[in-house]
Amino acid sequence: MQKCDTSILKKKGKSFLVFLRVDADLRWMRAGSVMRKVKSRTWKKQRYFRLQDDCATIWYKSEKAGNAHFSISDVETVREGHQSEVLLSIADEFPPDRCFTLVFRGRRGNLDLVAESAEEAQSWVRGMRKLIENLESMGEQEKLDQWICDWFKKADKNGDGRMNFKEVQDLLKMMNMDMNEHHSGTLEDDEFVLFYKLLTERPEVRRLFQQHSSDGHTLSLWDLEVFLREGQLEQENLREHAAELVLCYEPSDTAKTRQAMTIDGFLMYLGSPEGSVFNPSRKQLYQDMRQPLCHYFICSSHNTYLMENQLRGHSSVEGYIRALSRGCRCVEVDCWDGPNGEPIVYHGYTLTSKILFKDVVSVMGQYAFKASQYPVILSMENHCSVEQQRVLAHHLTCILGDKLLQNALEGRSVSGGLPSPEDLKGKILLKGKKIGGLGASVSAVGEDSPVGDVSEEDERLEMEEENHHDDTLRRKAKELSDCVVYCKSVRFSSFKHARIHSKFYEISSFTEFKLRSFKLRDMHPSTKHIHTLFLCCCWTGADFVHHNSRQLTRIYPSGFRTDSSNFNPQEMWSVGCQIVALNFQTAGVEMDLNDGLFGQNGRCGYVLKPLFMRSAEKQFDPEHPQMLDRSGPLTLTIQVISGQQLPKVNQKEGSIVDPLVRVELHGVPLDQAKLETHHIENNGFNPIWDETLKFTVHVPELALVRFVVEDYDKTSKNDFVGQFTLPFSCIQQGKETYNHAASKQNKTKTENIISLLDICTV
């Protein structure tokens, strides 16, 4: 049977692949290495690892495990030395220069490896980093070519580099495309090239291109200027911007000479960060970082040490590494007395595994400021005896050194308010109980008042303290108390009490449910029964917004969430709560919203709250946003055009997704809304919806827009395919941005259009 070579797929990026194949490190990797795969101190197995000729896949083999592989694109980063819990456990057996860790994207476990020599380890570390850098620098067309090439290799069953028609048919099913059964025969050379072009054709982009092209073949500078003004809603320096786009994205030198853009250049521009729905300027650090800490939303983690659920899950320092690497700026540590005088960290009264407190502190010292230089808050839940509290303080001060903030900043009055993230760059702040106030002198061992940070597992201890059943439980080590400066944990009594008595450096913590009970207690007795049902679903109010304009508040999941699920953080942000702690190990809409909010401002972990939530004079009530002094709500118009290369969610043979797009608006209660498109049958490769969805947005500063792709199923719940979430304020004009247009009429609405060409690629 006549077959056709697939080399047509390798034209893009070919010169770089040639470089990779002659590189010394890549040659070593392609030759292969026998290395130890390490899962624990007792599980160390030899495996043969080799880089495939495509320079995009690592293949490995063992007699028992058989053949396996993973894609370079799945690897997020490479760590050298003993930078994982597993490799630390065998540090006495293997030197750090022979050890390295591959960290995968998502929730896949790390791969810990030990090479036979330091030279071999370094070749793999350098080679992996070069491959990762190459993938990250690829253009959209190169990524598409590579993606198709990867699938071709999976479909080429006999590995001869050629494909017959049956293999092509199987390939399309694997790529989420259907193919008519009546077609038969073989693919000759010319047919195969045509087939490849059909796969990469974007008819919806071509229609858009031809709508703006004067000659039907290229976009002149004038054509591109019109598109930028009418399609992208840009206004300034359009001619200069059009010329820059041609120079940057047009692959044809001939077209560049004519100052024109071809369809290929147009597609590269639309797929670039500049054409993204997320405004590139908002991905940079763009906010004022000199406001008090309480004026920011702070990316925060709950039970950071847990990798799984809070009943039987595995505790690991990896939880801290992953959270800090994602820009998290507040992590939690639950400390208990451990053997040999060393405090341990685990979820008390459960079957979760235990790790050493000193290992957690060591990881904090290494990773706290790799993703962001702004301060990290270490939220401590302390269950230790006085003796081991001193050990806690010793590890904090000795391991962290100058990184640990132990004194109020010079030149700042104890009544002057919280310092800013800029003031506290490179500092770790301990949040916990403190004897006395800021700068107070206390005895060697003090008795704290019955005021403290309360959690479900700590309530029994608090009750015993209050009833004086065991005075030793009230004893606090001065050494640990002195480590607490600007985050003194106190029990919240009421908003009225806080307005009169609270200090700026005090912070209260609430479970998601207890906050509702405190809100009820602040209400007039005659109105409590009226609002009880309402508060079960929405407990926000102006009092809490005002409280959070002056002080920090931490919210964390209820202890009843034994599966480590999360609550919706949006309702907490809507009343100005800064530290909304979530279980980072649990995927879902809640973490999608968290990642969406903190994806802006350089992913530094701090997002400045809107002015109306920072000012003590403003009385913003998220339940009544119409009270804000503004012209009226906005209308957000979203045009969902198409998707590309959606992943399969059902691995059954022949299964193809039927994708639909749901757009969700998350914000204040009036801004909660969902709309979705129709579903496309049997096409996850290049579905086209071309539908328009409209939303009304009352408080855009607090709104998040979430795009979800699902596999439609008429008999059961739809399967999740992928999602993308971003702040409303980070949407570009024409593609993303919102605009408060000046209007003479109070109810005039501003319409904005998002054209999604690649809505979701997972």
Side-chain angles (χ1 to χ4, degrees):
M1 179 180 291
Q2 182 71 31
K3 299 188 179 182
C4 180
D5 198 330
T6 61
S7 60
I8 183 70
L9 298 175
K10 301 178 182 177
K11 287 185 178 179
K12 294 288 185 179
K14 185 176 181 180
S15 59
F16 194 84
L17 286 176
V18 170
F19 162 74
L20 291 178
R21 287 169 180 156
V22 300
D23 180 81
D25 295 323
L26 273 297
R27 285 206 309 270
W28 194 314
M29 293 175 66
R30 290 177 65 212
S33 300
V34 175
M35 295 186 284
R36 287 178 174 86
K37 179 181 178 181
V38 185
K39 289 187 177 181
S40 69
R41 187 171 179 82
T42 58
W43 198 102
K44 301 182 285 288
K45 305 290 186 180
Q46 286 192 330
R47 296 287 186 264
Y48 177 68
F49 292 85
R50 179 166 58 84
L51 175 65
Q52 299 287 70
D53 290 341
D54 61 0
C55 291
T57 309
I58 301 294
W59 174 89
Y60 60 97
K61 181 180 181 180
S62 69
E63 291 183 2
K64 292 185 178 180
N67 298 332
H69 67 275
F70 60 85
S71 173
I72 300 295
S73 61
D74 294 334
V75 182
E76 183 174 358
T77 189
V78 184
R79 300 183 197 149
E80 297 181 67
H82 299 145
Q83 292 200 58
S84 75
E85 189 175 7
V86 171
L87 292 179
L88 278 171
S89 70
I90 60 168
D92 57 337
E93 294 183 62
F94 303 102
D97 58 4
R98 289 175 55 191
C99 302
F100 63 97
T101 302
L102 301 184
V103 181
F104 291 93
R105 301 182 188 278
R107 286 164 172 78
R108 178 176 175 177
N110 296 344
L111 178 59
D112 293 300
L113 298 171
V114 179
E116 292 299 311
S117 67
E119 181 184 12
E120 188 172 41
Q122 278 300 305
S123 284
W124 275 86
V125 169
R126 289 192 300 262
M128 287 296 300
R129 287 174 175 168
K130 291 172 188 174
L131 293 170
I132 293 171
E133 182 181 0
N134 173 48
L135 285 174
E136 291 176 347
S137 63
M138 276 186 178
E140 292 302 313
Q141 187 60 44
E142 290 176 307
K143 290 178 182 178
L144 175 61
D145 291 337
Q146 183 64 56
W147 187 82
I148 294 176
C149 189
D150 290 343
W151 277 112
F152 266 64
K153 289 173 183 175
K154 293 179 183 179
D156 186 11
K157 302 296 185 182
N158 58 11
D160 64 356
R162 299 169 180 271
M163 297 189 68
N164 59 31
F165 181 78
K166 179 63 169 60
E167 288 174 328
V168 171
Q169 190 176 41
D170 293 340
L171 165 68
L172 290 178
K173 289 184 178 180
M174 287 192 291
M175 295 170 70
N176 258 330
M177 291 184 70
D178 200 5
M179 191 172 190
N180 294 333
E181 295 292 338
H182 68 267
H183 195 291
S184 62
T186 62
L187 284 177
E188 304 294 340
D189 287 1
D190 293 341
E191 291 178 313
F192 189 84
V193 173
L194 177 61
F195 171 69
Y196 170 72
K197 290 182 176 179
L198 288 174
L199 283 181
T200 56
E201 174 68 19
R202 300 290 296 274
E204 73 282 17
V205 178
R206 185 169 293 279
R207 283 196 298 270
L208 185 64
F209 178 84
Q210 291 178 341
Q211 285 174 10
H212 291 85
S213 173
S214 299
D215 60 9
H217 301 290
T218 61
L219 294 177
S220 65
L221 289 185
W222 185 85
D223 294 334
L224 197 51
E225 183 179 344
V226 172
F227 172 73
L228 292 174
R229 181 173 57 253
E230 298 180 357
Q232 306 295 65
L233 302 186
E234 296 183 17
Q235 297 177 353
E236 298 180 357
N237 303 318
L238 296 185
R239 180 55 61 94
E240 293 83 355
H241 189 198
E244 290 173 359
L245 293 179
V246 171
L247 288 175
C248 185
Y249 298 108
E250 176 52 50
S252 168
D253 291 335
T254 302
K256 280 184 180 179
T257 303
R258 296 173 48 220
Q259 288 191 302
M261 179 176 281
T262 63
I263 181 67
D264 291 335
F266 188 60
L267 183 57
M268 290 178 67
Y269 157 60
L270 292 178
S272 72
E274 192 168 358
S276 168
V277 69
F278 203 122
N279 190 336
S281 66
R282 295 300 176 96
K283 288 192 174 183
Q284 309 302 316
L285 189 69
Y286 71 95
Q287 294 183 333
D288 177 10
M289 303 305 292
R290 297 188 179 277
Q291 299 285 324
L293 280 182
C294 56
H295 286 180
Y296 297 84
F297 297 121
I298 304 173
C299 186
S300 307
S301 166
H302 175 61
N303 288 346
T304 315
Y305 48 87
L306 287 179
M307 303 298 291
E308 302 166 32
N309 69 72
Q310 62 182 25
L311 288 184
R312 298 174 177 270
H314 177 57
S315 301
S316 172
V317 295
E318 186 66 31
Y320 293 91
I321 296 174
R322 293 188 180 186
L324 292 168
S325 298
R326 293 171 68 175
C328 182
R329 298 290 87 188
C330 180
V331 297
E332 184 185 24
V333 56
D334 294 350
C335 304
W336 301 78
D337 282 351
N340 305 316
E342 284 291 346
I344 56 175
V345 175
Y346 84 112
H347 201 240
Y349 311 114
T350 68
L351 298 177
T352 57
S353 60
K354 303 172 177 64
I355 55 178
L356 292 175
F357 175 77
K358 65 180 179 181
D359 289 343
V360 172
V361 180
S362 295
V363 163
M364 292 285 295
Q366 293 179 60
Y367 288 91
F369 304 110
K370 286 196 173 184
S372 169
Q373 286 297 306
Y374 291 107
V376 173
I377 299 172
L378 182 58
S379 180
M380 176 179 288
E381 189 173 282
N382 174 21
H383 301 266
C384 293
S385 62
V386 171
E387 291 73 20
Q388 293 210 15
Q389 287 181 44
R390 293 193 177 103
V391 179
L392 295 175
H394 173 77
H395 289 326
L396 287 168
T397 54
C398 292
I399 296 175
L400 298 179
D402 292 340
K403 292 178 182 177
L404 179 68
L405 184 74
Q406 299 185 63
N407 299 290
L409 299 183
E410 292 185 10
R412 181 175 288 273
S413 167
V414 295
S415 60
L418 286 168
S420 70
E422 191 68 30
D423 295 330
L424 295 167
K425 261 187 172 181
K427 293 296 182 182
I428 296 175
L429 284 63
L430 182 65
K431 170 190 165 294
K433 296 183 181 180
K434 183 177 180 64
I435 308 166
L438 187 63
S441 176
V442 295
S443 59
V445 177
E447 286 191 1
D448 201 5
S449 62
V451 177
D453 206 8
V454 184
S455 66
E456 263 83 1
E457 56 269 8
D458 207 21
E459 278 191 341
R460 178 185 59 81
L461 182 62
E462 288 287 347
M463 291 176 62
E464 290 178 356
E465 287 186 5
E466 291 181 7
N467 294 327
H468 304 277
H469 287 170
D470 187 351
D471 287 342
T472 61
L473 293 175
R474 293 162 52 85
R475 293 160 64 85
K476 308 298 174 190
K478 175 184 183 299
E479 295 87 344
L480 187 60
S481 172
D482 287 348
C483 293
V484 178
V485 182
Y486 290 118
C487 296
K488 176 183 178 179
S489 296
V490 300
R491 178 178 291 178
F492 182 83
S493 177
S494 68
F495 292 118
K496 181 178 180 181
H497 181 274
R499 283 194 297 270
I500 299 172
H501 301 288
S502 292
K503 307 295 190 297
F504 69 88
Y505 54 83
E506 294 176 341
I507 175 174
S508 298
S509 293
F510 308 93
T511 68
E512 53 181 301
F513 298 136
K514 278 198 171 181
L515 196 55
R516 296 183 176 96
S517 67
F518 281 123
K519 181 69 168 67
L520 276 172
R521 204 163 69 190
D522 259 29
M523 296 173 61
H524 191 278
S526 63
T527 62
K528 284 185 181 181
H529 68 283
I530 299 175
H531 292 269
T532 299
L533 182 61
F534 173 73
L535 289 170
C536 288
C537 60
C538 183
W539 39 258
T540 61
D543 281 339
F544 210 52
V545 173
H546 184 264
H547 174 83
N548 288 325
S549 70
R550 298 176 292 111
Q551 290 182 259
L552 290 170
T553 297
R554 177 176 179 266
I555 313 295
Y556 59 97
S558 164
F560 293 109
R561 294 183 179 272
T562 56
D563 59 350
S564 291
S565 59
N566 286 307
F567 57 85
N568 188 336
Q570 185 68 53
E571 57 181 334
M572 315 300 180
W573 293 327
S574 292
V575 290
C577 294
Q578 303 89 348
I579 303 176
V580 181
L582 299 179
N583 290 300
F584 270 46
Q585 75 273 24
T586 306
V589 59
E590 299 84 8
M591 277 305 300
D592 293 342
L593 296 177
N594 191 82
D595 292 339
L597 175 66
F598 293 103
Q600 61 181 311
N601 203 32
R603 293 188 175 274
C604 73
Y606 286 83
V607 171
L608 188 63
K609 295 195 288 187
L611 179 60
F612 54 76
M613 302 187 86
R614 310 194 310 259
S615 172
E617 290 74 32
K618 298 281 185 179
Q619 291 296 315
F620 170 68
D621 186 346
E623 297 160 19
H624 304 286
Q626 55 269 45
M627 300 297 292
L628 282 174
D629 183 19
R630 54 181 54 181
S631 60
L634 307 179
T635 295
L636 172 66
T637 303
I638 299 175
Q639 183 184 2
V640 182
I641 300 178
S642 66
Q644 290 287 303
Q645 307 143 44
L646 303 178
K648 295 174 74 71
V649 294
N650 189 333
Q651 296 303 321
K652 290 182 180 179
E653 185 176 357
S655 174
I656 300 174
V657 300
D658 304 320
L660 62 81
V661 179
R662 184 174 65 253
V663 181
E664 303 172 352
L665 186 65
H666 297 263
V668 299
L670 276 179
D671 286 344
Q672 301 289 338
K674 298 179 182 180
L675 293 172
E676 63 184 36
T677 68
H678 68 287
H679 69 275
I680 306 292
E681 291 190 4
N682 292 331
N683 188 353
F685 184 75
N686 55 1
I688 298 177
W689 295 278
D690 198 18
E691 289 193 42
T692 300
L693 310 175
K694 288 192 176 184
F695 298 86
T696 299
V697 189
H698 297 81
V699 188
E701 297 90 341
L702 292 176
L704 294 167
V705 181
R706 182 171 182 254
F707 301 96
V708 187
V709 179
E710 291 184 341
D711 180 14
Y712 173 77
D713 194 318
K714 63 182 179 182
T715 60
S716 62
K717 183 180 178 181
N718 295 345
D719 291 320
F720 174 81
V721 176
Q723 71 87 37
F724 178 70
T725 304
L726 78 164
F728 188 91
S729 58
C730 293
I731 296 175
Q732 282 202 82
Q733 185 75 3
K735 303 175 287 279
E736 310 143 316
T737 309
Y738 76 90
N739 172 35
H740 282 290
S743 173
K744 296 181 179 179
Q745 295 184 358
N746 190 42
K747 294 300 181 181
T748 297
K749 302 176 181 179
T750 303
E751 293 200 359
N752 300 274
I753 297 176
I754 303 174
S755 298
L756 294 174
L757 291 168
D758 288 301
I759 165 179
C760 179
T761 301
V762 180

